[in-house]
Amino acid sequence: MTRPRCPGNHSSVDAAVPAELPAAPYPAGTDSTPTGAGTESVRFQKALFEALAEASLDGIIVITTDGRIATLNRRFVEMWGLPREILETHRRDVVTAHILERVADPQQYRDRSEYLYRHPDETVLGEITLRDGRIFEHFSAPVRSPDGVYHGRVGRYRDITERQRAEDELRYQKSLLEAQSQASIDGMLTVAADGRILSYNQRFVEMWRIPNDVIRTGSDTAALEAVSNLLADPKEFLARVVYLYAHPGEASRDEIALVDGRTFDRYSAPVKGDDGTYYGRVWFFRDVTANRQFEAQLQRRLRQQRVVYELSNVVARAERLEAIFEAAMGSLHDTLGARRASVLLLDPDGVMRFKAWRGLSETYRAAMEGRSPWGPDAHDPPPVLVPDVRTEPSLAAFQDLFAQEGIGALAFIPLVVEGRLLGKVMLYYDAPRPFPADEVDLAQTITRHVAFAIERTRTHERIVHLYEAEQQARRQAEAAVRARDEFLSVAAHELKTPLTSLLGSAQLARRRLEQTGRLEPERLVRTVETIDEQSRKLARLVNQLLDLSRIQAGKLAIDRSPTDVAALVRDAAATAQATTTDHTIAIEAPTELIAEVDALRLEQVLANLLDNAIKYSPEGGPIEITLAASVPNSAQHDIASSPESNDGAAIAASRPTSVQLTVADHGLGIPPEHRPHIFDRFYQAHGAAYRSGMGLGLAICREIVELHGGRIEVDCPETGGTRFVATLPAA
């Protein structure tokens, strides 16, 4: 193998070497070529040695046992810069003295030289460092004849400066590479083409948790077997390794999932020489678990923010609480994985009531409704988290219920607005689980949106209710004003009519008396009858006004006493029948029916109902009055079997529980749009064409019946007419 010459050495050495020196090795002063008996073969071998020595790139010197220089070559002279005067001495000690001036450690060189000459059988190989930085490799061996006679020592000097520098650089680079490898955050492994582990760093061993006895085997197969139990998918991992070893030209990068949750980024590339020779494969492993967790967390946060943003949009537009609840439970499912959830709100009594839920049985809701970890007056209460319902003492009584429902963990998240508790959101999980702080913060963010939306919706509902109430009050006030004006007009008209009749009759009688001094009997009777009729009418109108005043003041009262309602009905019917010849009033009633009622007020009800029946049946026709009683079930058999049951005595004796009075006509009926208002004050169902009275009769009837503890209803049969039904307690 040829070695590069040391750059720059030849110019200085050549200057020190005499130009006329022969090209052959320098002799020791005498010709040692055999004479006489010498042969051509010996001369040839000597010439061959001298040619080889001169052609050598190494410096060669041969020294005899007596210290003379037997021979040396030009390269030796060049390497050590020997001048002519030293060469001419042919002495080892002179040459050695010259060399000692050039070596970095003269004493070491002298000691080694002396040692070798004292020990002629020693063969040594070493290095010599010169002061000018060059490094010589030194080889020294004894020179012996074939018969073993020691003749001296040969020395060979090779300039290895460049090689040494290259080796030093290589060692430096290797050390640097090893330091970098050990300092790297990546696990590094280099595997030879035959499967031997060439190198690895400590990070690789730590990442894969490979035992020392395994890694020291240097077997890649053993290392693969040691890590297989750490892999989430060992088959896929090993298949990829086998593939890459089978395809040495390919590089690869992928990610590896481990059973403990870690994730490694794996990169592999072939190791090739400049000529393309494949030496093996290098593997880099980087633990990217934190990066992937951060990315996953970032994605989760982005998704959560998107869900919260969408929730805020939904609840901002929601007009109903149900829509808010549904959106909230959907958001909790999407962000926190709560497959089951519920929303409970405090009712006016401070009790938590279920308003919306997902995945909860009726049994569970019934058992847990009204239960809360906070009191209704709690100010800004904190969330209550139950990672494992089995270990929570306060829930010991519900363990069977949780087991049936499949609940392992709970979270109580309060719905709070300005510190005021509105309700709570419940999260249910199938198995025990922790509640990280970021999840709790997110749940509270969602519930704050929900609580604000609930409060906003409730406020809106209150505003709408107040607005509607204000509008209703305004309409009622306007209606009351219109009714008052209409009432005043009607009252003035109604009062004016009898007054006009009274005044007219009185003026006619007075004029007649002034003219004749007397009144004919027939005229007197008509005048008295007119005065009596109009006075009664006027009195009825005044009484209605007084009753209205008492009703508005809450002073209309009844005076109950045992009354034969059947007799009262017959009397009222007779009075009404006397006012009309176009109608026939029929009565269906028991002979006697005793009840605790205010007779005068009940008679007033009957009079008003009959007056309406006559008024709104302009074509005449029948008017039916029906009186019936309700008795206890236990008495019905006795009534049916009593011989007196036909005349009503049995009913009277049985103490009825209620009395039902019905007045039906076959007249105009009531238009459907007017029926809801028929009992309103001043209301006229048929307009001016049939207006007579002030529209107070039915309102007063309802007030009297309700003061008795009863009710009055109107029915308009399809056949026509109107039927009023008043039901009163009998006692």
Side-chain angles (χ1 to χ4, degrees):
M1 178 182 292
T2 59
R3 301 291 180 180
R5 294 179 180 270
C6 180
N9 285 349
H10 296 293
S11 59
S12 60
V13 172
D14 289 344
V17 178
E20 63 273 16
L21 283 176
Y26 301 104
T30 60
D31 186 0
S32 60
T33 305
T35 60
T39 66
E40 190 67 27
S41 175
V42 172
R43 286 193 294 269
F44 170 75
Q45 292 201 10
K46 178 181 178 184
L48 179 61
F49 168 74
E50 292 175 349
L52 290 174
E54 191 63 21
S56 175
L57 295 176
D58 297 335
I60 299 173
I61 185 171
V62 179
I63 301 174
T64 63
T65 56
D66 59 359
R68 291 183 303 108
I69 298 175
T71 185
L72 51 77
N73 68 353
R74 180 178 293 274
R75 180 59 180 152
F76 182 85
V77 174
E78 293 173 350
M79 290 176 64
W80 289 106
L82 294 172
R84 174 181 291 273
E85 56 270 20
I86 292 178
L87 290 174
E88 290 176 346
T89 66
H90 305 293
R91 292 171 53 184
R92 176 180 70 86
D93 57 342
V94 176
V95 172
T96 300
H98 177 81
I99 291 174
L100 290 175
E101 294 177 355
R102 284 161 173 74
V103 297
D105 190 346
Q107 187 61 46
Q108 182 187 41
Y109 183 86
R110 179 184 295 108
D111 292 344
R112 183 166 60 177
S113 296
E114 295 300 329
Y115 173 84
L116 290 174
Y117 284 104
R118 289 195 304 269
H119 299 81
D121 293 331
E122 291 285 340
T123 300
V124 297
L125 178 67
E127 293 181 358
I128 302 171
T129 303
L130 277 67
R131 292 180 179 180
D132 61 7
R134 288 180 297 160
I135 300 174
F136 292 168
E137 181 183 76
H138 176 221
F139 173 76
S140 179
V143 177
R144 293 181 183 276
S145 62
D147 56 359
V149 177
Y150 176 71
H151 295 286
R153 182 171 290 278
V154 62
R156 176 183 60 79
Y157 295 86
R158 178 174 295 173
D159 190 340
I160 62 171
T161 304
E162 291 302 318
R163 188 187 75 182
Q164 191 65 40
R165 288 175 180 172
E167 290 175 353
D168 290 345
E169 180 66 21
L170 184 60
R171 283 191 292 271
Y172 169 75
Q173 293 295 337
K174 183 180 178 181
S175 300
L176 181 61
L177 182 61
E178 289 179 353
Q180 290 174 340
S181 173
Q182 294 300 333
S184 175
I185 63 172
D186 297 334
M188 298 181 183
L189 173 69
T190 305
V191 180
D194 59 2
R196 291 178 298 108
I197 295 177
L198 297 177
S199 67
Y200 61 88
N201 66 354
Q202 188 61 30
R203 178 61 176 156
F204 170 78
V205 176
E206 293 172 352
M207 288 176 64
W208 286 105
R209 300 169 184 170
I210 301 175
N212 289 333
D213 57 340
V214 173
I215 197 67
R216 287 170 183 166
T217 65
S219 170
D220 186 49
T221 301
L224 286 171
E225 292 176 354
V227 304
S228 61
N229 63 327
L230 301 178
L231 298 162
D233 190 349
K235 290 183 178 180
E236 193 279 334
F237 177 86
L238 293 175
R240 188 61 182 167
V241 170
V242 171
Y243 173 84
L244 290 174
Y245 282 142
H247 297 78
E250 292 192 21
S252 172
R253 185 168 189 174
D254 58 358
E255 288 191 356
I256 305 165
L258 277 66
V259 294
D260 60 5
R262 290 181 296 162
T263 302
F264 290 171
D265 181 354
R266 174 176 64 178
Y267 174 74
S268 179
V271 179
K272 293 184 178 182
D274 295 339
D275 58 355
T277 302
Y278 175 71
Y279 295 107
R281 182 170 286 274
V282 63
W283 303 85
F284 294 89
F285 299 91
R286 176 169 294 184
D287 189 339
V288 294
T289 305
N291 292 347
R292 297 299 172 265
Q293 290 175 344
F294 176 77
E295 291 170 1
Q297 183 180 17
L298 181 60
Q299 291 297 324
R300 185 169 62 252
R301 288 290 181 88
L302 291 175
R303 185 173 64 254
Q304 291 171 351
Q305 289 178 1
R306 183 172 64 253
V307 170
V308 172
Y309 174 76
E310 292 172 353
L311 172 66
S312 64
N313 285 338
V314 170
V315 299
R317 296 191 302 267
E319 297 180 356
R320 298 179 301 107
L321 290 177
E322 291 77 8
I324 297 173
F325 300 152
E326 189 63 26
M329 291 188 293
S331 298
L332 292 168
H333 176 271
D334 293 342
T335 57
L336 302 178
R339 183 175 59 86
R340 292 181 286 179
S342 64
V343 180
L344 296 88
L345 298 181
L346 289 171
D347 67 9
D349 297 326
V351 179
M352 289 283 186
R353 302 292 184 188
F354 280 92
K355 297 300 180 181
W357 58 87
R358 281 187 178 181
L360 298 178
S361 67
E362 184 176 353
T363 301
Y364 182 85
R365 299 196 309 273
M368 303 305 292
E369 187 165 68
R371 301 185 180 276
S372 172
W374 320 286
D377 298 327
H379 179 78
D380 201 11
V384 175
L385 310 173
V386 185
D388 189 344
V389 297
R390 298 170 301 181
T391 60
E392 176 55 44
S394 64
L395 300 177
F398 304 102
Q399 292 303 311
D400 292 342
L401 183 63
F402 291 144
Q404 294 172 5
E405 203 74 7
I407 295 175
L410 289 171
F412 301 74
I413 312 298
L415 292 168
V416 178
V417 172
E418 296 180 352
R420 180 167 48 87
L421 183 65
L422 303 182
K424 64 180 178 180
V425 169
M426 294 294 302
L427 306 179
Y428 310 90
Y429 293 91
D430 299 344
R433 71 187 298 274
F435 291 95
D438 61 332
E439 288 192 0
V440 178
D441 290 343
L442 179 61
Q444 289 184 289
T445 298
I446 291 175
T447 53
R448 279 194 291 269
H449 281 280
V450 174
F452 177 79
I454 291 172
E455 185 68 8
R456 176 186 56 78
T457 303
R458 285 179 168 178
T459 301
H460 176 72
E461 290 176 351
R462 286 193 294 268
I463 292 173
V464 170
H465 176 73
L466 291 174
Y467 175 77
E468 291 177 349
E470 187 271 336
Q471 292 296 310
Q472 179 66 20
R474 176 176 294 182
R475 288 191 294 271
Q476 290 175 348
E478 292 173 351
V481 171
R482 289 193 300 271
R484 181 201 63 192
D485 294 342
E486 187 175 354
F487 166 73
L488 292 176
S489 175
V490 171
H493 174 75
E494 293 297 324
L495 291 172
K496 181 179 180 181
T497 299
L499 286 174
T500 300
S501 296
L502 287 172
L503 182 59
S505 297
Q507 288 176 345
L508 287 174
R510 179 180 177 181
R511 190 178 299 116
R512 187 65 177 173
L513 286 172
E514 290 176 349
Q515 292 175 354
T516 63
R518 69 184 185 85
L519 289 174
E520 296 83 354
E522 296 82 359
R523 186 181 295 276
L524 180 59
V525 170
R526 287 198 302 274
T527 300
V528 171
E529 288 177 350
T530 298
I531 291 173
D532 179 68
E533 178 184 357
Q534 297 304 322
S535 296
R536 289 177 181 275
K537 185 175 182 180
L538 184 61
R540 185 169 65 252
L541 292 173
V542 171
N543 287 335
Q544 285 185 342
L545 291 174
L546 291 174
D547 286 341
L548 175 62
S549 176
R550 294 189 186 100
I551 291 172
Q552 290 177 333
K555 295 181 179 180
L556 182 64
I558 58 172
D559 183 12
R560 296 174 183 270
S561 63
T563 302
D564 184 357
V565 180
L568 186 148
V569 168
R570 287 191 288 271
D571 291 344
T575 300
Q577 185 66 73
T579 64
T580 178
T581 58
D582 297 328
H583 303 79
T584 301
I585 301 176
I587 302 174
E588 182 180 346
T591 305
E592 183 181 69
L593 180 57
I594 304 300
E596 293 283 341
V597 296
D598 187 325
L600 292 177
R601 292 299 182 186
L602 186 56
E603 182 181 7
Q604 184 179 356
V605 170
L606 271 169
N608 284 338
L609 294 178
L610 289 170
D611 183 58
N612 277 353
I614 293 171
K615 184 189 306 180
Y616 296 110
S617 300
E619 302 298 328
I623 296 174
E624 295 94 7
I625 302 176
T626 303
L627 180 65
S630 296
V631 298
N633 292 335
S634 60
Q636 290 180 2
H637 175 73
D638 298 336
I639 296 173
S641 60
S642 172
E644 300 175 346
S645 59
N646 291 335
D647 61 8
I651 295 176
S654 68
R655 296 182 181 179
T657 58
S658 64
V659 175
Q660 188 176 78
L661 177 63
T662 303
V663 177
D665 64 60
H666 299 272
L668 300 175
I670 302 173
E673 65 273 15
H674 294 290
R675 293 171 191 172
H677 309 287
I678 196 65
F679 293 104
D680 294 349
R681 299 169 190 172
F682 315 126
Y683 195 80
Q684 300 282 349
H686 293 283
Y690 293 93
R691 180 172 292 169
S692 177
M694 294 181 289
L696 294 174
L698 291 178
I700 294 172
C701 288
R702 182 178 65 177
E703 192 71 24
I704 292 173
V705 171
E706 290 179 352
L707 284 172
H708 278 83
R711 66 181 185 276
I712 184 169
E713 299 169 322
V714 63
D715 180 29
C716 297
E718 294 181 0
T719 56
T722 305
R723 181 171 58 195
F724 287 93
V725 181
T727 304
L728 300 91

